[in-house]
Amino acid sequence: MGTAPYRLESTWQPDGGPNGRFTFTLFNLSDRQLSSFKLVYTSLTRVIDPKACENATFLRRNANFHEFAPPSGLSLDAGQSWTFTVSGLHRPARHCTDGAKSAYITLADGSHVDVAVSELLLEGRVNEPPPVLLPKGELDLPFALQPWPAEIDVTAGEGFPVVLYPADGSSVDDIRAVSTVLALFHRLFDSSHAPFNLAPSPQGRALRFVTDTGLAKEAYRLEFTTNAITIRYSDSAGRQYALTSLAQLLQGARGTPETFRFPETGTIADQPRYSWRGCHLDVSRQFYPSDDIKRLIDILAWFKLNIFHWHLTDDEAWRLEIKAYPELTTTGVLRGPDEPLLPQLGNGAQPVGGFYSQDDVRDIVSHATSLGVEVIPEIDIPGHSSATLVALPDLTDGQEAPDSYHSVQGYPNNALNPAVPFTYEFLEKVLDEMVELFPSSYLHIGGDEVANGSWLASPLAKKLMEQEGISGTFALQSYFLKRIKDMLTARGRKLAGWNEVSHGGGVAAEGTLLMAWENPQVGIDLARQGYEVVMTPGQAYYLDMVQAEAFQEPGASWAGTVPPAHTYAYEAEGDFPEDLKDRMKGVQACIWSEHYLSRAYFNRLVFPRLPAIAEAAWTPKAKKNWQRFAAIVPLSPKL
């Protein structure tokens, strides 16, 4: 790939406007004069005052898409540059990722050329060395286990077995379970020595499997002797977790023998703290190939997480093939300068798309099921539906003004209209196909961030509200979601959603699970209303949040700064009253993808916070130890 012919550099200054200002400089690095052009960049820090520009004309914005024209008659010879400032921002820039993520130029003939983008600088500030987010750590016991078990009473051996193998008489199911975890290990650590062998080895140690109905479904017990290891379990989940623990122990002892050891004798008795141990992934803002999805599921299984929450639709794209509406994965996924969906969040001159075929979904669900991971699909409705409405314009009320409301992300009129009859016909067909693809008892319907004022300029919505005797956006949302819950109930599924599902009267609490993301108190309030709750507050469990206050740290900051130590220490039960704790089903990490323009950014932001949440989901509070965790977590696999 050659050098880009143009480069856009930017700084942010705290003065020059209520929320500071950007100064942009476009450099012409080509050997030709540049004239009669327009400049587009994408940025999460949006322009809301189009007149607050100097030396440029603001042309249009759609969410994160911004288009500008240079002063009339401006041309740039080779090596020259053009500088302009933008002051009318909706918030100050706090981190380097708050600037332009991508840019391109539209030439006079209508063609588009990518522009290289430099990192946003803070004027007058020297970049400091990155802070130490993970200490070296200190072990109280020399064993590599993630997450740490509920009870451990073992003595460390001087060496370690070459392999572990099923003892004579093991059932075919037990042998298959060993093979499954062995395959998982090979996928995650393809250059490491295998922990298991199916055939006996004189240098190995035998595994004896014992079914113990006294153990809980996900519990296991390991009993170590010098010549064998007994695995006690009552269900396949417990057996898998036991084998995963053994693989971790042996990998640590073999790979870092100066730090970690393998047990010689003793017992490990283990079971999870919570039944819901989840990880969410947003694939709408950025597309992840199926192989990346399966690797993430492998990582979840390694950390004994059992829920993969797959966020398949949002304003930026609809990623799930629905055969009844092929437009969703043609028009509804393609973002580009000349497409109905404009570039967003790092897209440039070239159109980008990507979706999961139904065969892809079946393969991914099968892969997850084989590892004891349940896939919870999400289509985000009624809000966050710009891509859906672009793909299927018959879902709109044609009498409604096109910019009558805007979402918090800046999208105009982005919510499915509860008063359009086609809305329900559309969703009936979508749900029919989804329940065939996803065996989970839950289907997540979003329900978040519907802008207050949505639909109030729609004549159809006004008529419906008069007929039903309801007023306001959220009462209408409640009407809509109750109908969706009825659709799910008719299909044998339960409704999962974000905490705003409870707004405006909500839906029936029975058979409804809500995720508390805005702040921890929301979870307690939901539990008081009778809902089952999963805790996933942005202040601790959103893995797109910045990990340090320094300007050069990447990520979002609306929920504050979330260093790994805070994520690890956070206690999701918080101030839950004793009589409500049974409604808190567990915890979940959320991976929102606005800032994940590369695998390096993904791994930097997700790890070690994802394994920290896995330990919070599994390990009893009294057994958590930040220094021990810090010593073990560098062994973690990454995407």
Side-chain angles (χ1 to χ4, degrees):
M1 179 179 290
T3 303
Y6 310 103
R7 176 171 288 277
L8 184 68
E9 294 189 346
S10 58
T11 59
W12 180 77
Q13 296 86 23
D15 59 352
N19 290 311
R21 61 189 165 97
F22 285 132
T23 298
F24 292 103
T25 303
L26 176 69
F27 293 87
N28 180 5
L29 305 177
S30 74
D31 55 6
R32 296 183 180 181
Q33 185 186 75
L34 177 63
S35 60
S36 301
F37 67 94
K38 300 172 185 175
L39 173 68
V40 167
Y41 69 78
T42 68
S43 173
L44 283 159
T45 306
R46 299 187 298 277
V47 174
I48 57 172
D49 182 358
K51 296 180 181 179
C53 298
E54 293 184 10
N55 206 34
T57 300
F58 178 89
L59 297 177
R60 58 176 173 154
R61 177 176 69 81
N62 179 271
N64 310 289
F65 170 98
H66 299 75
E67 186 175 47
F68 294 84
S72 178
L74 178 88
S75 62
L76 299 177
D77 290 329
Q80 290 187 326
S81 62
W82 161 51
T83 297
F84 66 100
T85 63
V86 178
S87 300
L89 307 177
H90 84 293
R91 62 172 173 82
R94 296 185 176 91
H95 296 275
C96 61
T97 43
D98 286 336
K101 291 188 176 299
S102 60
Y104 65 88
I105 284 172
T106 299
L107 301 174
D109 63 1
S111 62
H112 311 285
V113 182
D114 276 320
V115 173
V117 174
S118 296
E119 186 175 83
L120 178 67
L121 299 180
L122 176 60
E123 187 176 82
R125 180 78 62 85
V126 176
N127 278 0
E128 303 159 1
V132 175
L133 297 173
L134 191 71
K136 182 179 179 181
E138 184 177 336
L139 293 171
D140 50 354
L141 293 171
F143 304 112
L145 281 169
Q146 299 181 86
W148 194 252
E151 297 179 26
I152 180 168
D153 182 15
V154 294
T155 58
E158 290 301 317
F160 50 83
V162 172
V163 290
L164 308 174
Y165 61 89
D168 287 344
S170 296
S171 72
V172 64
D173 283 345
D174 292 334
I175 295 171
R176 286 172 180 157
V178 174
S179 183
T180 294
V181 178
L182 176 58
L184 170 66
F185 181 90
H186 276 310
R187 291 193 300 270
L188 294 176
F189 308 99
D190 56 0
S191 64
S192 296
H193 191 284
F196 301 117
N197 211 42
L198 299 187
S201 167
Q203 295 174 286
R205 201 179 299 186
L207 301 176
R208 297 197 172 102
F209 295 90
V210 176
T211 302
D212 186 340
T213 57
L215 294 175
K217 179 180 178 181
E218 295 185 294
Y220 66 89
R221 182 179 174 90
L222 295 171
E223 298 169 354
F224 295 87
T225 65
T226 54
N227 60 1
I229 301 168
T230 299
I231 299 174
R232 296 186 181 274
Y233 67 95
S234 67
D235 184 87
S236 60
R239 178 177 57 197
Q240 177 180 303
Y241 297 146
L243 290 166
T244 302
S245 292
L246 290 170
Q248 292 176 356
L249 287 164
L250 192 48
Q251 180 210 23
R254 177 182 284 121
T256 318
E258 68 278 8
T259 304
F260 299 108
R261 312 275 283 279
F262 192 81
E264 183 75 9
T265 59
T267 61
I268 295 174
D270 202 10
Q271 65 180 34
R273 183 178 182 184
Y274 299 119
S275 60
W276 188 291
R277 306 181 303 281
C279 178
H280 151 290
L281 178 67
D282 157 29
V283 299
S284 179
R285 277 57 180 262
Q286 311 292 346
F287 180 72
Y288 299 77
S290 292
D291 285 347
D292 285 354
I293 300 294
K294 289 194 284 188
R295 181 168 178 88
L296 178 60
I297 290 169
D298 284 343
I299 293 169
L300 303 189
W302 186 251
F303 293 133
K304 303 184 179 77
L305 294 164
N306 64 346
I307 300 290
F308 174 54
H309 173 177
W310 200 1
H311 185 89
L312 288 158
T313 75
D314 215 296
D315 289 307
E316 289 80 4
W318 179 292
R319 302 293 190 189
L320 173 65
E321 180 189 20
I322 298 296
K323 294 186 181 297
Y325 300 105
E327 306 94 322
L328 292 170
T329 45
T330 53
T331 306
V333 298
L334 199 58
R335 302 198 297 254
D338 300 315
E339 304 299 333
L341 292 174
L342 292 170
Q344 303 285 348
L345 300 169
N347 307 140
Q350 301 304 313
V352 296
F355 68 93
Y356 304 97
S357 71
Q358 294 197 357
D359 284 342
D360 292 334
V361 171
R362 291 185 188 96
D363 178 49
I364 289 167
V365 170
S366 175
H367 181 81
T369 301
S370 73
L371 295 169
V373 175
E374 182 178 352
V375 180
I376 311 289
E378 179 186 354
I379 55 166
D380 202 347
I381 57 174
H384 288 279
S385 294
S386 291
T388 310
L389 295 168
V390 166
L392 299 170
D394 287 347
L395 288 167
T396 62
D397 178 354
Q399 307 169 83
E400 184 179 13
D403 289 326
S404 60
Y405 63 91
H406 288 79
S407 74
V408 68
Q409 286 83 15
Y411 285 94
N413 294 29
N414 74 330
L416 296 179
N417 194 320
V420 173
F422 181 41
T423 296
Y424 302 101
E425 176 187 340
F426 162 70
L427 291 172
E428 292 268 11
K429 291 181 179 179
V430 169
L431 295 177
D432 280 342
E433 295 193 32
M434 291 184 72
V435 298
E436 292 298 319
L437 294 169
F438 298 98
S440 170
S441 60
Y442 286 100
L443 198 152
H444 201 293
I445 52 78
D448 62 315
E449 294 187 325
V450 173
N452 193 6
S454 297
W455 312 306
L456 300 187
S458 161
L460 288 176
K462 289 179 182 178
K463 181 179 179 181
L464 176 62
M465 287 191 284
E466 289 174 5
Q467 290 173 345
E468 297 295 327
I470 56 179
S471 62
T473 292
F474 301 117
L476 189 52
Q477 173 181 288
S478 174
Y479 167 88
F480 169 83
L481 291 176
K482 286 172 181 174
R483 291 190 62 172
I484 302 307
K485 183 174 173 65
D486 288 343
M487 290 183 193
L488 291 172
T489 300
R491 289 163 175 79
R493 297 295 192 271
K494 299 177 184 178
L495 186 150
W498 303 108
N499 54 249
E500 295 99 318
V501 168
S502 65
H503 290 181
V507 301
E510 184 178 354
T512 299
L513 181 143
L514 299 184
M515 297 180 174
W517 69 272
E518 290 183 281
N519 59 67
Q521 179 61 40
V522 167
I524 298 173
D525 295 341
L526 292 173
R528 283 202 179 101
Q529 295 173 54
Y531 294 107
E532 292 188 330
V533 180
V534 170
M535 294 296 287
T536 179
Q539 295 78 7
Y541 287 171
Y542 268 36
L543 302 188
D544 58 322
M545 291 296 120
V546 291
Q547 299 180 85
E549 294 183 4
F551 189 84
Q552 66 267 28
E553 283 295 304
S557 56
W558 66 262
T561 302
V562 186
H566 173 68
T567 297
Y568 185 84
Y570 173 70
E571 275 296 307
E573 288 184 15
D575 298 320
F576 264 74
E578 201 63 38
D579 63 327
L580 296 180
K581 286 185 177 179
D582 65 321
R583 292 180 187 162
M584 193 201 131
K585 298 306 175 185
V587 301
Q588 180 168 291
C590 283
I591 302 174
W592 297 101
S593 296
E594 287 93 337
H595 294 287
Y596 293 139
L597 303 189
S598 69
R599 189 173 298 238
Y601 264 169
F602 184 99
N603 285 330
R604 178 172 176 173
L605 286 163
V606 170
F607 300 97
R609 292 185 294 182
L610 179 60
I613 295 169
E615 188 143 312
W618 184 281
T619 306
K621 177 182 177 181
K623 299 297 177 70
K624 289 169 66 177
N625 181 316
W626 166 244
Q627 289 294 329
R628 182 190 61 220
F629 171 83
I632 299 171
V633 78
L635 300 178
S636 299
K638 295 184 178 181
L639 195 66

